[in-house]
Amino acid sequence: MAEYEYEYDQEYMGQEDEWEREGLLDPAWERQQRKTFTAWCNSHLRKAGTQIEEIAEDFRNGLKLMLLLEVISGERLPKPDRGKLRFHQIANVNKALDFIASKGVKLVSIGAEEIVDGNTKMTLGMIWTIILRFAIQDISVEESSSKEGLLLWCQRKTAPYKNVNVQNFHTSWKDGLAFCALIHRHRPELIPNYHELRKDDPIGNLNLAFEIAEKYLDIPKMLDAEDIVNTARPDEKAIMTYVSCYYHAFSGLQKAETAANRICKVLRVNQENERLMEEYERLASDLLEWIRKTIPWLENRTRDNTLPGTQHKLEEFRDYRRKHKPPKLEDKSKLEIIFNTLQTKLRLSNRPAYMPSEGKMVADIANAWKKLEFAEKGFEEWLLAELRRLERLDHLARKFKHKSDIHEEWTEGKEVMLQDTDFKNCNLYELKALRKKHEAFESDLAAHQDRVEQIAAIAQELNDLEYWDVVTINARCQRICDQWDRLGALTQKRRNALDEAEKILERVDQYHLEFAKRAAPFNNWMDGAKEDLVDMFIVHTMDEIQGLIDAHEAFKMTLPEADKEFNAIMMCITEVQRIVQQLDLKGVTINPYTNITGEELKQKWQDVNNLVPQRDSVLQQEMVRQQNHERLRRQFAQKANSVGPWIEKQAEAIATIGMQMQGTLEDALLKLKNMEAQIMAYKPNMDELETYNQAIQESLVFENKHTQYTMETLRVGWEQLLTSIARTINEVENQILTREAKGIPEEKLQEFRASFSHFDKDGSGRLEPNEFKSCLISIGYNIQDGDKGDAEFAHILGVVDPNGSGYVTFQAFLDFMTRETTDSDTAEQVMQSFKILAGDKPYITQEELRRELPPDQAEYCIARMTHYTGPDGIPGALDYISFATALYGESDL
């Protein structure tokens, strides 16, 4: 017979010695142990689909004893003997006892023969040894183990309950309140009226605890309330066995709670990241949609060909610049901040980098914004060019009308005159007079050829510039040209007729002829002078108006010679009148060679002399207007030459703080916040420039030689400054977030920043791949030459730049240098947490998720988990393994 000793609990070995001496157990204790140990064994054997009825009988053949040890240990025992003879049974029991001994247990006075013979005392002792080894030994609370640990656990859990005082495992449990307190402490919803329980109702309290434990905690009823109440000192082994079931049940709940907390933490992070992703997607969609709708408006070149309509479009464009675009610029900056913050949070929580939807990357938004600004610039340039064109068209239309009116006034009656046959009824002298008169007309006609060409040239320019009423212009120009062709043909026809009659008639009046010859060009000169003196002009600079003034002064210098010519021509008339008076001639006072009279010449000459001072006044007024334009140019230039360098200086200062910051990150953030406030306080200067620019545009001033800055370049610089300060603040905040999350010392941050800045040659805050590689080598990374080194660096670059932007920011560089210092959850940890909640099953149910997790996060998991497809699944089973893997890998999340 094999004999064993059990070293774990000397107190209970003392009780076994008492059994040995007396040869029997206290009947009440034996009854309690039989029931308790039988129920405890059945709670495990039912997992194998069997149970025992009589503890001393059912373990005699050793088969169920071996099966019990396999279930509670999770290990395989040697193959049992299947024979029914006594030695087969002893062999099976010895295999079980050998297995118990292999676990460090020494039994005394317990042999296989006693168990096979159905010795109740020895059988109960053996089962108690198994309970101590597999149910109580591993209990550890505050460095106390086994019985002391279990007792300390009961005391800690029932400490808040004033009517419970656990000091042992017998009398402290008789009133049942200790059992109820343990249940209420861990599952208060199971005994919501605990405060109503009374110490004087022990049977009611015990039965309540036993029934709830069996129904809700899967702990079988191992004790009888009446036995405990009616026994002066209940059996400690029975009580300890039953209480140990409470410990294991509630320790499993604690593990489930810990697992649930871990999952909640992971899900909260994921939900916040999804919220940021959804906000990014929404803002990106709204901004891109606004850009998509705005660009066609900016690219629309539909003309109404009116100056007021174009000026109205310019005002709408200014309203777009002042009211509609600034909020969208803020949305663009907010998008960049959300994107950077989201990427930082994903890196810190060991998540894959966020890839926005196709077409909504930060680079896509930046490209769309560039297209918007390009269209905006083109639209403004087109509007200003359209204003110039319409102003030019208006000027040409009025000039065309003026010259056409003069020409049509001159040609009025000329066709009738050329068709007259008066030469058939005149004498020689009259014929010669008619001939000379016709020659004078031909001279006059040739002189007017230039005016007709000017009218045609103006009409052509109006056509080229797409004048709105070009049909009327073309019709009038065509009438003038057709009439001019007819005049040319009629003139040649009349000249031929006069030449034919010249052989017959000849007489000439020298004075009339002299008058006609000299009066015609002088008359044309005066017509041209009058036309020039009232000619309309358009200028844009003081040099242009000064040129007109100089030309006018040169014209005035020719007036003395013209005055001499006028007196000479008028002398011819005077001589004719003198001869007529002297000789008393009739019919010779009328000059047969010209229709120009002395009074007409005198009136035109007087008109020319009167128009000269009027022209002086008009030119001086225009000079004053151009001087005012010059004042506007200088006013704008003075302000622009101040604002432009200030913007450039602030941009340089932001870049310097971002990459060469002195002191802590908080100091740099404070500086950037102060600079942001200064920039916003500086905005009235931009508004003042906008006012100056509006005044310049309304005055149709287009060039400014006093400054290199235009309103467009200043606007772009201002917008870039606002974007730069917001981006830099966000980068510093993310660096603070990284430092706090990873516990990086400030000195280490400065060291990383110094290394990064050394290779950031252009101060852009970004490293090209070759610069990043040199930086890694300089701080000790051994990157080999050749294909192997290139593959290694490509892997590193894929980690630092997951979006493939082609550059490395300081934040990405910092994350890479500190990537191994973060204590973050892993997919394996989350899977293990779900496994605990699922009770070691490879799947989990909706009921288990709703029981263990808060409602919103339970529903979150249910909505995203796929159905479990394994062969051991049940209807409604969910696959938590693929869900946990998706949280940390390539995923729609």
Side-chain angles (χ1 to χ4, degrees):
M1 180 189 300
E3 294 185 353
Y4 301 86
E5 291 183 2
Y6 181 61
E7 297 179 344
Y8 292 111
D9 198 319
Q10 296 299 324
E11 177 182 345
Y12 294 109
M13 292 317 301
Q15 189 178 41
E16 289 174 3
D17 292 341
E18 182 180 342
W19 296 340
E20 188 67 29
R21 289 192 304 270
E22 296 178 358
L24 50 84
L25 286 171
D26 180 279
W29 287 6
E30 180 179 344
R31 184 173 61 255
Q32 291 177 11
Q33 287 185 16
R34 277 175 177 274
K35 178 165 185 164
T36 301
F37 292 178
T38 299
W40 184 86
C41 291
N42 284 334
S43 71
H44 293 286
L45 287 172
R46 68 183 178 183
K47 297 176 183 177
T50 187
Q51 63 179 5
I52 62 174
E53 297 294 338
E54 175 53 50
I55 194 167
E57 291 296 326
D58 292 348
F59 283 144
R60 291 179 63 187
N61 62 6
L63 295 177
K64 289 188 177 180
L65 179 60
M66 294 178 70
L67 182 61
L68 174 65
L69 290 173
E70 286 185 343
V71 171
I72 63 178
S73 67
E75 300 179 21
R76 298 290 295 178
L77 272 69
K79 184 176 181 181
D81 292 352
R82 292 298 178 181
K84 297 183 179 181
L85 299 177
R86 176 178 174 81
F87 77 88
H88 290 125
Q89 296 175 343
I90 293 173
N92 288 337
V93 174
N94 276 328
K95 290 177 183 179
L97 295 178
D98 289 341
F99 178 78
I100 296 173
S102 70
K103 298 303 179 180
V105 178
K106 293 183 180 180
L107 296 170
V108 178
S109 302
I110 299 178
E113 290 79 356
E114 284 82 357
I115 304 301
V116 172
D117 292 338
N119 188 319
T120 301
K121 179 190 120 175
M122 293 303 176
T123 302
L124 292 175
M126 177 189 65
I127 297 302
W128 172 240
T129 300
I130 293 173
I131 292 172
L132 281 176
R133 172 60 183 84
F134 292 101
I136 300 177
Q137 174 188 337
D138 293 335
I139 296 175
S140 177
V141 178
E142 297 183 7
E143 301 182 357
S144 298
S145 60
S146 299
K147 175 188 175 184
E148 291 79 9
L150 182 61
L151 183 62
L152 183 58
W153 178 79
C154 295
Q155 292 171 342
R156 292 286 183 269
K157 295 300 181 179
T158 59
Y161 300 87
K162 297 180 179 181
N163 55 355
V164 176
N165 183 17
V166 177
Q167 297 297 327
N168 50 54
F169 286 108
H170 39 80
T171 56
S172 297
W173 303 85
K174 290 188 64 174
D175 59 8
L177 291 177
F179 291 109
C180 293
L182 285 176
I183 296 173
H184 185 266
R185 177 66 183 272
H186 293 90
R187 297 287 299 276
E189 75 279 4
L190 298 179
I191 308 179
N193 58 341
Y194 175 85
H195 64 282
E196 298 178 0
L197 300 180
R198 303 192 315 276
K199 205 173 186 67
D200 57 0
D201 184 18
I203 292 179
N205 297 337
L206 289 168
N207 285 329
L208 175 65
F210 297 160
E211 291 171 3
I212 289 176
E214 184 175 28
K215 182 176 181 180
Y216 296 102
L217 303 180
D218 199 24
I219 299 174
K221 187 176 181 181
M222 302 180 182
L223 302 172
D224 279 329
E226 290 78 4
D227 289 345
I228 294 174
V229 172
N230 296 329
T231 303
R233 188 174 184 270
D235 180 59
E236 283 188 314
K237 292 181 176 62
I239 299 294
M240 284 182 65
T241 300
Y242 186 60
V243 172
S244 69
C245 293
Y246 279 66
Y247 172 85
H248 290 295
F250 292 134
S251 65
L253 289 177
Q254 183 65 31
K255 291 180 181 178
E257 181 180 357
T258 302
N261 289 337
R262 178 180 292 276
I263 292 173
C264 289
K265 172 191 169 186
V266 171
L267 295 180
R268 279 195 299 271
V269 171
N270 216 61
Q271 288 173 318
E272 174 61 16
N273 291 341
E274 285 191 358
R275 185 191 66 77
L276 289 175
M277 293 178 192
E278 292 172 357
E279 185 175 4
Y280 176 91
E281 293 285 335
R282 179 183 60 77
L283 284 176
S285 298
D286 293 346
L287 182 59
L288 290 172
E289 180 65 14
W290 178 80
I291 293 175
R292 185 187 67 78
K293 291 181 179 179
T294 304
I295 287 180
W297 175 69
L298 293 173
E299 292 177 344
N300 183 14
R301 300 294 187 267
T302 303
R303 300 169 173 169
D304 64 356
N305 281 315
T306 63
L307 196 60
T310 305
Q311 289 172 339
H312 178 68
K313 283 188 176 182
L314 181 60
E315 187 59 35
E316 287 181 342
F317 180 73
R318 292 197 190 102
D319 190 66
Y320 153 81
R321 272 270 180 77
R322 290 191 296 260
K323 297 180 181 178
H324 302 293
K325 184 182 177 184
K328 298 303 178 182
L329 179 62
E330 293 178 5
D331 287 347
K332 177 176 175 290
S333 178
K334 185 177 180 181
L335 266 176
E336 294 178 0
I337 292 172
I338 290 174
F339 183 84
N340 293 335
T341 301
L342 179 58
Q343 298 294 48
T344 299
K345 288 188 174 183
L346 288 172
R347 285 192 293 270
L348 294 178
S349 59
N350 200 22
R351 301 299 199 279
Y354 167 58
M355 295 294 291
S357 301
E358 182 178 358
K360 296 180 183 178
M361 297 288 292
V362 172
D364 297 326
I365 294 171
N367 290 336
W369 192 263
K370 286 182 181 178
K371 291 179 181 178
L372 175 72
E373 292 181 332
F374 179 80
E376 183 178 296
K377 183 175 182 294
F379 187 66
E380 184 176 27
E381 291 174 350
W382 175 77
L383 280 177
L384 297 177
E386 188 68 2
L387 284 175
R388 295 191 191 98
R389 185 182 73 85
L390 292 175
E391 183 186 26
R392 174 70 176 166
L393 283 174
D394 185 67
H395 167 73
L396 289 175
R398 287 187 281 114
K399 190 170 184 177
F400 176 86
K401 181 179 182 303
H402 177 68
K403 288 186 176 291
S404 296
D405 289 343
I406 294 175
H407 175 76
E408 289 175 349
E409 181 181 1
W410 178 84
T411 59
E412 186 177 0
K414 293 295 190 291
E415 290 185 67
V416 176
M417 178 197 75
L418 292 173
Q419 293 173 348
D420 193 7
T421 58
D422 55 340
F423 59 88
K424 295 180 179 180
N425 300 318
C426 64
N427 54 33
L428 178 62
Y429 301 104
E430 291 173 338
L431 177 61
K432 288 192 174 185
L434 287 175
R435 190 173 183 280
K436 295 299 181 183
K437 181 179 179 181
H438 187 70
E439 290 176 353
F441 174 77
E442 286 180 324
S443 299
D444 201 10
L445 188 67
H448 279 77
Q449 178 67 33
D450 182 63
R451 181 180 291 118
V452 174
E453 292 175 354
Q454 290 178 7
I455 291 173
I458 294 172
Q460 183 60 45
E461 188 171 0
L462 287 170
N463 276 273
D464 294 341
L465 295 177
E466 300 179 2
Y467 180 61
W468 67 275
D469 197 15
V470 72
V471 175
T472 303
I473 296 294
N474 289 340
R476 189 172 187 183
C477 180
Q478 189 62 46
R479 288 198 304 270
I480 291 173
C481 292
D482 292 344
Q483 184 188 42
W484 187 254
D485 292 338
R486 291 196 303 273
L487 286 176
L490 290 174
T491 299
Q492 186 61 38
K493 182 178 180 182
R494 184 173 178 81
R495 180 179 180 82
N496 294 338
L498 290 174
D499 288 341
E500 194 70 23
E502 184 178 17
K503 298 176 181 178
I504 304 171
L505 301 177
E506 187 175 15
R507 186 177 183 176
V508 64
D509 188 340
Q510 292 298 330
Y511 282 108
H512 283 173
L513 184 59
E514 181 70 9
F515 174 86
K517 287 181 177 181
R518 301 181 70 170
F522 187 73
N523 183 60
N524 285 335
W525 177 84
M526 288 191 296
D527 287 339
K530 288 175 63 178
E531 184 176 344
D532 290 339
L533 290 171
V534 297
D535 188 27
M536 290 167 285
F537 56 84
I538 179 171
V539 294
H540 297 290
T541 65
M542 292 184 63
D543 292 338
E544 292 175 354
I545 188 60
Q546 187 61 49
L548 292 178
I549 292 175
D550 293 341
H552 183 62
E553 291 299 324
F555 169 77
K556 290 196 291 184
M557 296 296 293
T558 65
L559 289 180
E561 286 298 324
D563 186 66
K564 291 180 181 179
E565 180 66 10
F566 173 75
N567 291 329
I569 293 172
M570 295 305 295
M571 181 60 69
C572 293
I573 296 176
T574 302
E575 286 298 319
V576 169
Q577 290 176 349
R578 185 183 63 77
I579 293 172
V580 168
Q581 291 176 359
Q582 183 178 0
L583 301 177
D584 195 22
L585 298 177
K586 306 294 184 182
V588 297
T589 56
I590 300 174
N591 194 325
Y593 305 116
T594 182
N595 291 325
I596 300 173
T597 65
E599 290 299 320
E600 184 179 351
L601 288 177
K602 187 182 297 183
Q603 182 61 44
K604 287 186 176 181
W605 179 246
Q606 184 178 354
D607 292 340
V608 169
N609 283 280
N610 291 336
L611 288 172
V612 168
Q614 295 178 12
R615 185 70 169 182
D616 286 334
S617 175
V618 170
L619 291 174
Q620 289 302 319
Q621 291 175 3
E622 182 61 27
M623 174 60 80
V624 171
R625 192 170 77 93
Q626 289 302 323
Q627 288 173 345
N628 183 57
H629 290 179
E630 185 68 7
R631 179 187 60 79
L632 290 175
R633 290 188 185 97
R634 292 181 182 276
Q635 187 181 46
F636 177 87
Q638 182 180 3
K639 192 66 178 178
N641 291 335
S642 170
V643 172
W646 186 89
I647 291 176
E648 295 167 357
K649 180 179 179 182
Q650 296 302 311
E652 292 176 0
I654 292 170
T656 300
I657 293 176
M659 293 309 301
Q660 302 177 8
M661 57 182 68
Q662 302 295 326
T664 65
L665 288 173
E666 284 75 10
D667 295 339
L669 183 60
L670 180 59
K671 289 180 181 178
L672 289 170
K673 293 285 187 179
N674 292 335
M675 288 187 68
E676 184 181 36
Q678 293 173 5
I679 290 170
M680 298 313 297
Y682 198 77
K683 190 175 185 301
N685 292 279
M686 287 294 297
D687 296 338
E688 184 178 356
L689 267 177
E690 289 285 3
T691 302
Y692 293 160
N693 185 61
Q694 180 176 350
I696 285 176
Q697 289 183 343
E698 290 174 351
S699 298
L700 301 178
V701 178
F702 303 106
E703 295 86 14
N704 192 342
K705 64 182 180 180
H706 302 297
T707 181
Q708 63 176 342
Y709 298 102
T710 65
M711 197 64 229
E712 176 61 27
T713 59
L714 291 174
R715 287 193 197 105
V716 172
W718 179 256
E719 292 170 356
Q720 291 176 348
L721 183 62
L722 293 177
T723 302
S724 176
I725 187 67
R727 184 189 302 116
T728 305
I729 289 175
N730 177 250
E731 289 175 355
V732 174
E733 289 175 341
N734 284 339
Q735 291 175 26
I736 293 174
L737 182 61
T738 302
R739 183 195 66 190
E740 297 301 326
K742 300 185 177 183
I744 306 170
E746 193 70 32
E747 295 78 13
K748 196 66 176 177
L749 276 178
Q750 295 290 352
E751 179 184 341
F752 289 152
R753 189 177 296 108
S755 299
F756 187 93
S757 299
H758 176 75
F759 290 92
D760 183 18
K761 302 300 183 183
D762 57 358
S764 63
R766 301 172 177 176
L767 293 182
E768 299 295 330
N770 58 334
E771 294 175 336
F772 176 59
K773 184 176 181 181
S774 300
C775 183
L776 290 180
I777 294 173
S778 72
I779 59 180
Y781 269 77
N782 183 18
I783 300 177
Q784 303 176 4
D785 294 329
D787 295 339
K788 184 176 181 181
D790 293 340
E792 179 185 2
F793 178 71
H795 174 71
I796 293 174
L797 193 61
V799 173
V800 178
D801 182 23
N803 295 326
S805 61
Y807 56 82
V808 178
T809 64
F810 178 71
Q811 182 63 39
F813 174 77
L814 181 60
D815 289 339
F816 175 77
M817 296 306 298
T818 60
R819 65 193 182 281
E820 296 181 356
T821 64
T822 302
D823 181 17
S824 58
D825 298 307
T826 66
E828 182 64 27
Q829 290 173 325
V830 175
M831 275 189 275
Q832 289 300 322
S833 297
F834 273 116
K835 186 175 182 181
I836 292 173
L837 296 188
D840 290 337
K841 298 190 299 295
Y843 59 84
I844 194 168
T845 65
Q846 295 184 15
E847 292 74 15
E848 289 170 333
L849 287 171
R850 290 191 174 105
R851 184 179 71 237
E852 304 295 346
L853 299 180
D856 59 332
Q857 295 183 344
E859 298 304 323
Y860 177 86
C861 293
I862 292 170
R864 285 162 174 77
M865 283 186 182
T866 59
H867 291 290
Y868 178 73
T869 58
D872 53 346
I874 62 173
L878 300 175
D879 186 354
Y880 63 78
I881 296 177
S882 63
F883 176 74
T885 303
L887 287 177
Y888 291 88
E890 296 298 327
S891 167
D892 293 336
L893 296 178

